Amino acid sequence: MIATAGHVDHGKSALVRALTGMEPDRWEEERRRGLTIDLGFAWTALPSGRRLAIVDVPGHERFIGNMLAGIGSVPAALVVVAADDGWSAQTEEHVAVLDALGVRHALLAVTKADLADAAPALADARTRLAKTSMGEVPGVAVSSLTGDGVPAVAAALETLLATLPAPDREAPVRLWIDRAFTIRGAGTVVTGTLAAGSVAAGDRLRLGDRDVVVRGVQSLGAPVERADATARVALNLRGAAVDELARGDVLLTPGAFRSTDVADVVLDAEPERLPAELVVHIGSAAVAARLRPLEGRALRLRLADELPLRVGDRLLLRDPGARRVLGADVRDVDPPELRRRGSARRRAAELAGEDGAGADLARRRVIRTGDFTAMGWPVPDDAERIGPWLLAPGLTGELAGRVPHVVARYRQLRPLEPGPPVDVVRRALDLPDAELVAAVVRPPLALREGRVVVAEADLPPAVQRSVDTIRVRLAADPFAAPEAGDLVAAGLGARELAAAVRSGQLLRIAEGIYLAPGVDRVARERLAGLPAPFTVSQARQAWGTTRRVAVPLMEWLDAHGITLRLPDSTRRLR
Ligand SMILES: Nc1nc2c(ncn2[C@@H]2O[C@H](COP(=O)(O)OP(=O)(O)OP(=O)(O)O)[C@@H](O)[C@H]2O)c(=O)[nH]1
Ligand SMILES: [Mg+2]
């Protein structure tokens, strides 16, 4: 694929006609006025059999918007200069656009060689082009009127196409629509330049907030099963009416892109003076944006409409008033807010950094892998993956190191509980998903019954069985602490009981009195039903237990600040 560029009336359309035999000026008005207004599309087979599609753009300054929409996804340019007129205003403007877009492949055609000596225009244009992203560009003199030089242009195009980098056909599709129309019997059809990926009938694509289905694909005027980049494609769509579609809309591989209305970019060169607003061009889209200069070449763009931008995208920023264009690279499509003093400068320094995906992931700490790749980042080799999550390298180790402190602090504040609930730990570590907590809990900590507990003493099976039996009984009757004889009979000596307490399964109220963790809540609930103050005896009755348990439990509740002992030894809840 190639797109024309050049000043009005310099013979772009005539050359396209001479090369392809097709009429790029589709509109009656264009043909009547001899002026291209909108984009034209033509194609041909070159002598080698290789097929070439051409997007023909208008040269008139009034139609620069159409020119930008046509050039947006095309990797190479056919720069046209008329021998009798030479380098002109829109040659300059179009070449500035190509330069800002970073187009690296181009052919220069000096037309109307039948009217004037082409050599001076050729030499001058090549010198000027050499200073742009296109560098040393081959040049051919041609007359579309006589046909002289047309085969040389075709041969030069052949050579140029052979040097284009191979497009990534595995890439997700982002097809910028340049036309939408209906065909009787087929329905809605859109066209665009497929710069990467491939499209086939039956594909489901995303259009704004809905899905559409590709019913059929055409490329270069003929139906195809599948079109691979780079290609001109026409897609017959199900799920969208033509009046809901316009140039600048975009069809996307579902889930592969995220839309954003803010992006941090880096300009090619430090700008002298920037307007407060300009127009952002990408693909066939043009969206107004407000600028926030950060520092140096870094800017933040706030878009009037969302665009499915990716890191690494090339943007053309246009100041329509000054007829000036700037090229910019997208460096972040989900940038952090800049609230603190000096944060704009720090951000600019981050954006200038070259370490890309790794640095970005380090800043984000944790993100869904799909969201990270949808922003355009490759997954760094050393990133950690947990389920759908991507973690910055080394983060799990750092978090695992923090968990013991979180648990210790929680147990200090709530000594009656075996350990913090998982969600408490999740929040303390600022993680988005409880699943991630499990990955950073390391021995002697363990997850038990939705909490992070100290599991240093995983009990021997026989002891665990005895403890389980006691816990079952305590679940039925929370204040029925086992008798000393029962404990001995169950094989639970001082060592085993201490281990059960450490593992968070039993609570030691006093010498020989063991209850289940959480008993403090039940005890308090029952006491809340008593008129205050109450006696130990009333508490004992409320708990349905004996003095052997009630007296030490009452003191334990005093000691843990749940009850308050009054001078006459009655209590009330704190
Ligand atoms: N003598 C001569 N005339 C040419 C040649 N190429 C184009 N023309 C004439 O120049 C005029 C403009 O040609 P177009 O091909 O329409 O120019 P364009 O660059 O497409 O113009 P816009 O699309 O409006 O920017 C027409 O009248 C053509 O017939 C050529 O090689 N020799
Ligand atoms: Mg034209």
Side-chain angles (χ1 to χ4, degrees):
M1 287 226 44
I2 200 163
T4 60
H7 195 72
V8 63
D9 257 357
H10 274 201
K12 297 179 290 300
S13 300
L15 181 56
V16 170
R17 221 175 282 126
L19 282 166
T20 67
M22 288 178 74
E23 175 55 65
D25 286 335
R26 293 172 290 126
W27 298 2
E28 197 275 326
E29 184 190 353
E30 291 178 315
R31 272 173 261 176
R32 197 179 63 241
R33 292 170 64 185
L35 179 81
T36 304
I37 296 169
D38 198 8
L39 301 173
F41 305 96
W43 53 88
T44 188
L46 293 168
S48 69
R50 186 178 205 131
R51 291 196 302 169
L52 171 72
I54 308 180
V55 176
D56 183 36
V57 308
H60 196 287
E61 59 181 313
R62 273 185 44 214
F63 310 126
I64 182 77
N66 292 339
M67 182 271 177
L68 287 163
I71 204 92
S73 306
V74 180
L78 176 58
V79 178
V80 171
V81 177
D84 61 340
D85 200 17
W87 191 273
S88 307
Q90 268 62 56
T91 328
E92 179 77 32
E93 187 171 25
H94 285 194
V95 167
V97 163
L98 297 171
D99 188 32
L101 286 171
V103 172
R104 301 217 320 277
H105 307 275
L107 173 66
L108 169 66
V110 173
T111 54
K112 310 197 186 185
D114 55 296
L115 295 183
D117 178 10
L122 260 174
D124 177 47
R126 291 194 68 218
T127 309
R128 293 175 190 259
L129 287 168
K131 294 180 194 132
T132 71
S133 60
M134 290 164 275
E136 289 293 331
V137 166
V140 181
V142 61
S143 167
S144 304
L145 193 75
T146 65
D148 283 351
V150 173
V153 172
L157 285 171
E158 194 107 63
T159 310
L160 179 70
L161 293 186
T163 66
L164 291 186
D168 180 0
R169 290 178 180 162
E170 305 303 315
V173 167
R174 181 173 58 178
L175 182 70
W176 299 98
I177 293 172
D178 48 40
R179 280 184 302 160
F181 49 90
T182 48
I183 289 182
R184 199 191 297 273
T188 306
V189 175
V190 296
T191 66
T193 299
L194 186 66
S198 73
V199 206
D203 283 358
R204 190 172 289 277
L205 294 171
R206 202 81 185 138
L207 173 72
D209 53 8
R210 69 169 113 175
D211 283 343
V212 295
V213 176
V214 178
R215 269 183 176 148
V217 184
Q218 286 203 358
S219 188
L220 310 188
V224 292
E225 221 164 273
R226 165 175 296 279
D228 292 318
T230 309
R232 281 298 301 172
V233 295
L235 306 182
N236 180 203
L237 297 181
R238 188 172 68 225
V242 71
D243 54 7
E244 301 165 317
L245 290 158
R247 177 171 289 172
D249 288 344
V250 58
L251 292 167
L252 304 168
T253 296
F257 294 87
R258 57 190 289 291
S259 287
T260 183
D261 60 5
V262 55
D264 284 354
V265 305
V266 173
L267 299 172
D268 294 344
E270 192 149 345
E272 293 158 27
R273 179 187 48 78
L274 285 170
E277 283 205 17
L278 25 75
V279 183
V280 171
H281 294 264
I282 181 169
S284 60
V287 170
R290 276 187 293 120
L291 298 192
R292 165 154 186 197
L294 298 173
E295 190 178 72
R297 298 186 290 126
L299 295 181
R300 175 156 298 182
L301 301 176
R302 293 219 170 263
L303 305 171
D305 288 306
E306 292 196 338
L307 285 172
L309 297 183
R310 283 187 149 207
V311 169
D313 277 343
R314 185 71 182 172
L315 299 183
L316 185 97
L317 310 181
R318 189 160 170 275
D319 178 0
R323 299 200 74 90
R324 179 164 67 135
V325 291
L326 301 163
D329 287 318
V330 175
R331 294 282 166 87
D332 197 340
V333 292
D334 181 27
E337 286 192 43
L338 303 174
R339 286 220 202 81
R340 278 191 244 122
R341 179 192 275 270
S343 53
R345 173 179 314 161
R346 271 195 302 280
R347 181 90 264 249
E350 283 172 4
L351 295 169
E354 294 296 326
D355 41 356
D360 191 79
L361 182 57
R363 270 195 299 280
R364 295 178 199 277
R365 298 172 70 243
V366 187
I367 184 170
R368 284 180 190 277
T369 308
D371 290 343
F372 193 66
T373 55
M375 292 193 290
W377 291 117
V379 173
D381 288 338
D382 50 356
E384 300 179 70
R385 287 173 188 259
I386 298 168
W389 300 98
L390 200 61
L391 285 82
L395 182 64
T396 54
E398 181 210 312
L399 294 173
R402 282 167 56 194
V403 178
H405 301 287
V406 176
V407 173
R409 212 179 120 67
Y410 189 89
R411 292 195 21 143
Q412 215 168 28
L413 294 171
R414 295 180 182 72
L416 313 181
E417 296 178 30
V422 169
D423 206 54
V424 170
V425 179
R426 181 191 67 73
R427 267 181 278 130
L429 299 179
D430 197 16
L431 291 174
D433 187 347
E435 187 186 350
L436 295 166
V437 174
V440 297
V441 168
R442 311 234 162 117
L445 299 177
L447 281 177
R448 187 165 291 147
E449 292 165 13
R451 288 173 186 265
V452 181
V453 300
V454 182
E456 91 192 273
D458 255 355
L459 304 177
V463 176
Q464 185 62 58
R465 273 195 299 281
S466 301
V467 170
D468 286 346
T469 311
I470 290 171
R471 282 171 55 93
V472 167
R473 260 191 270 148
L474 288 172
D477 185 353
F479 304 98
E483 301 283 345
D486 294 344
L487 293 173
V488 172
L492 297 176
R495 280 222 345 253
E496 289 77 15
L497 287 164
V501 169
R502 268 201 310 278
S503 74
Q505 301 190 68
L506 288 179
L507 206 56
R508 183 180 179 276
I509 300 297
E511 179 68 36
I513 307 295
Y514 294 90
L515 294 173
V519 71
D520 52 303
R521 261 197 317 277
V522 191
R524 171 187 250 284
E525 270 165 29
R526 302 256 183 108
L527 295 178
L530 293 176
F534 44 81
T535 63
V536 176
S537 176
Q538 285 172 309
R540 179 184 60 73
Q541 283 170 23
W543 293 334
T545 187
T546 59
R547 279 188 66 78
R548 180 183 73 90
V549 175
V551 171
L553 179 56
M554 197 77 247
E555 283 165 6
W556 188 87
L557 292 171
D558 292 340
H560 286 91
I562 292 165
T563 50
L564 181 66
R565 181 187 175 131
L566 303 174
D568 64 353
S569 291
T570 59
R571 307 307 207 276
R572 62 175 175 76
L573 290 173
R574 273 204 202 249

